[in-house]
Structures are given as structure tokens and as C-alpha cells.
């Protein structure tokens, strides 16, 4: 059975069927998935049961190279998952207990509700992120995605000309700090800002897109207030309803998105009462983002 893609939104996002991502991918299936990612930027795989750690790692690595380890904010009790190559996108600590309201991991994770692109705060940012749902709350906790290619296409020509060739500084200090999160001196060093182009060209599709994120807090060469107003204006434009797909999770879903073409954010739920357990693997781009000349 060949892979098929069923569109979930007028401009991007599709459900992919015809492949069991819990089994090793053939070269042809991997190429078809990459082609689907170039076209749709967000792919949904519905399995009915979560991937194991080994299955998720194998599926993701069949499409590229995993990100190297980096500084993470964890619960004081340490890691919960069985592999450091999985990002723990949950409100849980070791033993699957719901984190206290003032737990640093929980407070840091609230920043996921801001529009962002994974790892834009790294010199070499993320390519694909693959998020698998193990436990979901009875309501809330959806994830929204915004198509940065469609947002660029719809941008006024005068604004396109103004932002083309600019670079923004990205850091977790800007995104989480905007919520009042306090960093240690070591974390401030680890999260020093990096520069990313404000407009970039996708290496697979050749399409241009905005490169926005809550991690972006400065524009190189601009006064800070003017830069922040521009970043806010672009984000408001890029996250209009016509550019956004909202995913309602089911247990076993794996959603993969292209950080080179999208932003995303988590939506709130009652995280003091219900668990939400999602586990992410992330591929690196392998090289700095390519600016639109």
C-alpha cells in the first residue's frame, strides 16, 4: 500500500496513511514522507497506541540526524523518561507524578504556549520535530501550527522589502524571560542569543518563509523597542486563523512538523489536575538557516 496524504487545512498540514511508523521505513517511504513534509510542513500519523522509545527513535533517525544534547530545565528529582534523546513535553516528574505549581520544569514548560520554532535559539536550528502522545487530558492541551510560508506569501510587498535581509537574535532568555522565569548564571551563559535570518528559503521546497519565534527578541542593528514592535507585528500577521491548523490529540498520534516552515504552540489545560504526556524527538538541520538573499 502506497503512502497517501489527506489535507487537514486549506494551505498546509495533512494526515499520512499507508505506512506503519512503528516498523522500519523503506527508503521509498522515507523519501515519500520527506516529500510530504516539503508540501504540507505538518504530517499527522494516527496509530491508536504510542510508539515505544526505540520505535520513535528509529522512525525519526530514518529521516535525518538527531539534535545533540543541550541544556534542559528538569525537575529537581531528575529525568522521567528512559532516554536523554527524548524531550519530555509533559507536566510530570519522575514516577509520573503531576508537578507542583511552582516546579521549575512546569514553569519553564509554560513557555510552550507561546508561538515558537523549536531550537531557533541554537546556531544550527531544528529541522523536524516528532511529538508522540502517550496521555492526553480530557479537554484542552491541543497544539496549533502556523504556516510561515503562507504568511510570507500574504505579506504586503512593502513589508517584505523592509524585512528581507534582516537578522534577529533568538534566545530562551527572551521567550521564557518574558514570562518572568528566572535563570541561573550558568543558564544565561548557555542560552546566549544566536542570530537567525528573519526571512529564509526552504532547502527542500525552495519556498520563502518568515522565521519567527517567541525566542526572537531583537533585530540586529535596530533599537530594541522598534525591533520588538516589528516582531510582534509579524507574529500577529503570521498567526491569523487562515494560516493556523489546530491539532486535537488522540493517544498514539505522532505529529511531525518542519521547523523550517512553521511555528507552533501548546494550548492550556488543567495541568494541576490532569496529566499530559507527550514525547518529542528532534532532527537537526545540520547547518545554519539559509537566508533569503
Amino acid at each position: 500500500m502506497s503512502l497517501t496524504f489527506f489535507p487537514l487545512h486549506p494551505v498546509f498540514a495533512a494526515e499520512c496513511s499507508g505506512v506503519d511508523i512503528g516498523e522500519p521505513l523503506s527508503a521509498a517511504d522515507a523519501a515519500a514522507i520527506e516529500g510530504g513534509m516539503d508540501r504540507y510542513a505538518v504530517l499527522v500519523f494516527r496509530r491508536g497506541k504510542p510508539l515505544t522509545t526505540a520505535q520513535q527513535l528509529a522512525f525519526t533517525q530514518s529521516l535525518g540526524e538527531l539534535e545533540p544534547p543541550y541544556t534542559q530545565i528538569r525537575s529537581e528529582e531528575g529525568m522521567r523518561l528512559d532516554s536523554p534523546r527524548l524531550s519530555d513535553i509533559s507536566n510530570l516528574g519522575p514516577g509520573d507524578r503531576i508537578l507542583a505549581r511552582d516546579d521549575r520544569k512546569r514553569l519553564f514548560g509554560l513557555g510552550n504556549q507561546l508561538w515558537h520554532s523549536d531550537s531557533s535559539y541554537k546556531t544550527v536550528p531544528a529541522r523536524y520535530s516528532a511529538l508522540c502522545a502517550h496521555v492526553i487530558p480530557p479537554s484542552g492541551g491541543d497544539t496549533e501550527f502556523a504556516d510561515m510560508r503562507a504568511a510570507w506569501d500574504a505579506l504586503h510587498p512593502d513589508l517584505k522589502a523592509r524585512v528581507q535581509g534582516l537578522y534577529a537574535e533568538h534566545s530562551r532568555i527572551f521567550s521564557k524571560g518574558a514570562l518572568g522565569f528566572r535563570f541561573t548564571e550558568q543558564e544565561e551563559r548557555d542560552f546566549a542569543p544566536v542570530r537567525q535570518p528573519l526571512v529564509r528559503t526552504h532547502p527542500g521546497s525552495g519556498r520563502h518563509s518568515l522565521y519567527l519565534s517567541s525566542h526572537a527578541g531583537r533585530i540586529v542593528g535596530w533599537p530594541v523597542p522598534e525591533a520588538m514592535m516589528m516582531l510582534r507585528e509579524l507574529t500577529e500577521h503570521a498567526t491569523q486563523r487562515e494560516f493556523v491548523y489546530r491539532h486535537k490529540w488522540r493517544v498514539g498520534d505522532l505529529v511531525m512538523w518542519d521547523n523550517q516552515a512553521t511555528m507552533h504552540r501548546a494550548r492550556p489545560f488543567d495541568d494541576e489536575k490532569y496529566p499530559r504526556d507527550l514525547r518529542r524527538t528532534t532532527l537537526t538541520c545540520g547547518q545554519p538557516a539559509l537566508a533569503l538573499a
Side-chain angles (χ1 to χ4, degrees), residues 3-283:
L3 271 68
T4 58
F5 300 98
F6 177 78
L8 298 171
H9 185 277
V11 298
F12 76 133
E15 182 173 337
C16 180
S17 60
V19 62
D20 182 355
I21 61 172
E23 298 296 329
L25 285 185
S26 68
D29 283 347
I33 288 172
E34 289 185 331
M37 290 293 286
D38 286 348
R39 166 64 181 86
Y40 294 103
V42 177
L43 293 181
V44 176
F45 301 86
R46 297 197 185 273
R47 298 188 74 246
K49 63 178 181 179
L51 294 173
T52 66
T53 296
Q55 286 174 325
Q56 185 167 350
L57 288 170
F59 168 70
T60 314
Q61 288 177 292
S62 68
L63 299 168
E65 179 184 352
L66 290 175
E67 282 191 331
Y70 60 98
T71 300
Q72 299 190 42
I73 307 299
R74 295 193 173 99
S75 170
E76 292 182 2
E77 298 178 28
M79 286 181 56
R80 182 180 70 92
L81 302 181
D82 57 0
S83 172
R85 294 183 291 179
L86 285 178
S87 294
D88 185 4
I89 312 300
S90 78
N91 62 329
L92 303 173
D96 292 342
R97 63 173 183 82
I98 293 178
L99 297 173
R101 190 174 187 181
D102 61 351
D103 188 279
R104 282 190 95 225
K105 178 179 181 291
R106 175 186 176 272
L107 295 174
F108 193 79
L110 292 176
N112 290 335
Q113 296 179 31
L114 302 172
W115 285 108
H116 64 285
S117 177
D118 288 339
S119 298
S120 71
Y121 48 83
K122 299 179 183 179
T123 302
V124 178
R127 185 188 181 203
Y128 298 162
S129 294
L131 190 61
C132 185
H134 287 248
V135 180
I136 57 174
S139 63
D142 300 342
T143 301
E144 291 184 328
F145 300 90
D147 188 339
M148 296 294 96
R149 307 162 304 177
W152 168 258
D153 291 344
L155 200 65
H156 191 280
D158 291 346
L159 196 49
K160 284 184 176 180
R162 190 175 183 200
V163 301
Q164 189 171 321
L166 296 177
Y167 282 77
E169 291 187 346
H170 291 238
S171 171
R172 286 174 148 185
I173 295 170
F174 297 144
S175 53
K176 316 296 184 177
L179 300 179
F181 188 87
R182 295 183 179 276
F183 296 90
T184 66
E185 291 184 3
Q186 182 60 52
E187 288 165 351
E188 288 183 349
R189 289 191 290 270
D190 291 343
F191 301 152
V194 302
R195 294 182 176 184
Q196 303 288 7
L198 196 51
V199 184
R200 58 183 176 176
T201 303
H202 192 280
S205 68
R207 293 183 65 181
H208 306 317
S209 68
L210 292 169
Y211 194 7
L212 299 171
S213 180
S214 60
H215 305 310
R218 306 288 186 269
I219 296 176
V220 177
W222 284 36
V224 172
E226 186 178 1
M228 294 183 72
M229 284 302 302
M230 173 59 76
L231 292 170
R232 178 172 295 186
E233 179 181 351
L234 291 172
T235 299
E236 289 178 353
H237 163 78
T239 55
Q240 295 177 85
R241 289 297 94 189
E242 58 261 40
F243 307 135
V244 173
Y245 163 68
R246 186 178 185 117
H247 184 71
K248 296 186 179 296
W249 291 96
R250 304 176 192 170
V251 170
D253 283 0
L254 183 135
V255 179
M256 185 165 64
W257 62 91
D258 190 341
N259 290 288
Q260 303 166 109
T262 64
M263 279 199 300
H264 64 282
R265 66 174 180 176
R267 305 313 299 134
F269 68 102
D270 188 347
D271 66 344
E272 294 182 74
K273 185 175 181 181
Y274 298 108
R276 180 179 185 265
D277 181 359
L278 293 93
R279 305 175 187 189
R280 192 188 77 212
T281 41
T282 312
L283 297 180

